[in-house]
Amino acid sequence: MLRRLVQQCSQMKTPLRVSVAQRSASSLVDLREGDYKSFDTQNPQYQQFNDKGPVWACNEWDPLEEVLIGRPENAVVPYARVEVKACIDPKKWHFFEKNGGKYWADVMPEHWKKLVSEVETFVKVVEGEGIKVVRADAFDHGKEFKTPFFASNGLYSAMPRDILMVVGDEIIEATLAWRQRYFEFYAFRNVVLDYWKRGAKWTMIPKPSCDSRLINENHSPDPKYGDFVTTETEPLVEAADFVRAGTDIFGQRSHVTNQAGIEWLRRHLAPRGIRVHELHFVEPRAMHIDTTFALVKPGYALTNPKRPLLEKDKFIKAGWKLVDAPIPSVPDGHPMWMASVWLAMNTLMKDPSHVFVEKNEVALHKVFEKMGVKSIPVDLLHMNTIGGGFHCWTCDIRRRGKMECYF
Ligand code: DAV
């Protein structure tokens, strides 16, 4: 059955694309093996998407019309808490032990000016491509707060990708596992509220307590793959741990997304015909899928050669090409405080033939070219240092296109 579908797809003008109604219940049988309960694809409820509203994005590549770009203002350095250390290379911990809780702009004023100027340039480049840019509020993350379980101040409004996920006409607010990010959704509240008033569907995933049962204070400083700092006592979902391909969404268990979170999203989206699949990559400090696995366009994904995908065969069998990203060319000694150099592959598709990508990543430009994708080069190195590439710094609000099945 699957072989027949792949054959049919390869004969079509646009390969790997069938509408939800045409989709065969067994078309993804290999990918969903053991991780999905059966559902009725003929259910008319699956068609109930409103692509005329203000929010509409079904995948990572359809032509981008409107995008939310994060703000660097009032960003605070993370405290060296156990859940932060789990995601970050131990060589960098001393920086957080010394500066946690201070404004980045005070810790590194010269670097910060360059970062702010890169963000502003990125906004102009995106607007220059005819895309509407929306900005979050300049929220003050230095304010202290207290919950029944812990006290902290906030982090930043820089990475909307971590907290917001658009699936069709629905905007989903994720949970965020780092305690310092507990109230980060308020930085995006006005933006989301505005879309909701104009007709978007709006969902907030149940807020976890982030208490000492959910976050393991005794987590090993040198974790093996699979040894996560978060437990399963409550669902945890970070939006950046998922990538969308129409009716199929791929996610990973990481230090900030747990199995319960993946299951929460799966059950939430199943009635609309969206299937959530868990993928596995061997990476002991996993936080967010978008430095590991990036969907480029139908049939093409960019993979991280240092973090092998265990389900590779299933994609290949379904007719997809997995293309390894080249080793990033981030200069030695550049302070990648909060993430790895793999932020280079954290790109943003403008449409299936154009991608926003770091200016100096020439080898990556060539890899994209071979896939038929032209690079739009933009400076990113200073924006990288607080933990994000173009994908992290943005959330696609509107992409022109349909909810389709690519598997
Ligand atoms: O792969 O270095 C990046 C986290 C992006 N928010 C990494 C993790």
Side-chain angles (χ1 to χ4, degrees), residues 48-97:
Q48 288 179 7
F49 285 105
N50 169 20
D51 64 355
K52 304 286 177 292
V55 164
W56 182 254
C58 303
N59 55 47
E60 305 286 332
W61 57 77
D62 271 345
L64 189 59
E65 293 183 335
E66 182 165 334
V67 67
L68 171 62
I69 298 185
R71 269 195 186 278
E73 285 92 336
N74 304 321
V76 173
V77 178
Y79 290 105
R81 291 192 168 114
V82 66
E83 69 272 26
V84 173
K85 288 165 142 181
C87 305
I88 290 175
D89 179 351
K91 290 202 262 322
K92 302 173 192 167
W93 291 356
H94 66 95
F95 175 82
F96 300 99
E97 277 150 9

Side-chain angles (χ1 to χ4, degrees), residues 167-182:
V167 179
D169 54 1
E170 179 176 15
I171 189 157
I172 301 175
E173 282 181 30
T175 56
L176 300 184
W178 290 7
R179 282 167 279 194
Q180 202 166 340
R181 309 188 76 178
Y182 199 77

Side-chain angles (χ1 to χ4, degrees), residues 124-352:
K124 287 201 188 93
V125 171
V126 174
E127 285 175 339
E129 295 290 332
I131 297 159
K132 182 176 175 195
V133 172
V134 176
R135 306 300 303 278
D137 298 338
F139 194 84
D140 185 3
H141 294 276
K143 273 193 199 153
E144 288 189 12
F145 63 79
K146 229 176 170 174
T147 80
F149 307 102
F150 62 91
S152 188
N153 54 12
L155 193 75
Y156 52 33
S157 318
M159 312 294 165
R161 182 73 58 185
D162 298 357
I163 185 163
L164 299 176
M165 186 191 311
V166 171
V167 179
D169 54 1
E170 179 176 15
I171 189 157
I172 301 175
E173 282 181 30
T175 56
L176 300 184
W178 290 7
R179 282 167 279 194
Q180 202 166 340
R181 309 188 76 178
Y182 199 77
F183 289 114
E184 204 166 297
F185 61 90
Y186 281 129
F188 301 101
R189 179 49 52 97
N190 287 338
V191 173
V192 176
L193 199 55
D194 177 56
Y195 289 124
W196 177 77
K197 285 182 183 161
R198 292 193 280 133
K201 208 167 182 286
W202 174 19
T203 303
M204 186 187 224
I205 301 180
K207 205 73 192 133
S209 62
C210 294
D211 65 0
S212 57
R213 293 177 317 143
L214 188 58
I215 296 174
N216 173 14
E217 289 292 350
N218 301 316
H219 184 247
S220 161
D222 182 22
K224 302 275 167 294
Y225 170 62
D227 172 14
F228 296 106
V229 69
T230 48
T231 68
E232 295 292 340
T233 54
E234 292 167 79
L236 281 174
V237 175
E238 293 216 359
D241 269 320
F242 296 84
V243 283
R244 300 149 303 162
T247 53
D248 293 284
I249 293 185
F250 302 97
Q252 66 165 0
R253 173 46 158 129
S254 73
H255 288 292
V256 294
T257 292
N258 61 10
Q259 298 291 349
I262 296 170
E263 178 60 19
W264 191 96
L265 200 62
R266 183 176 286 149
R267 283 193 218 164
H268 176 72
L269 293 173
R272 306 190 95 196
I274 312 280
R275 308 181 279 204
V276 176
H277 311 273
E278 185 184 354
L279 299 180
H280 300 82
F281 307 88
V282 183
E283 164 54 36
R285 299 202 180 271
M287 179 192 191
H288 303 159
I289 201 168
D290 53 357
T291 43
T292 302
F293 187 69
L295 300 179
V296 176
K297 60 180 180 177
Y300 287 88
L302 198 61
T303 46
N304 182 326
K306 301 282 185 201
R307 301 175 186 171
L309 164 63
L310 301 188
E311 290 82 3
K312 217 173 169 164
D313 290 351
K314 294 180 178 180
F315 279 87
I316 293 168
K317 250 168 123 182
W320 278 60
K321 291 196 175 57
L322 302 179
V323 180
D324 269 347
I327 302 296
S329 63
V330 176
D332 283 348
H334 185 67
M336 301 291 283
W337 296 118
M338 288 177 64
S340 69
V341 292
W342 291 103
L343 282 175
M345 62 179 279
N346 189 274
T347 50
L348 178 71
M349 296 307 296
K350 183 199 158 202
D351 57 46

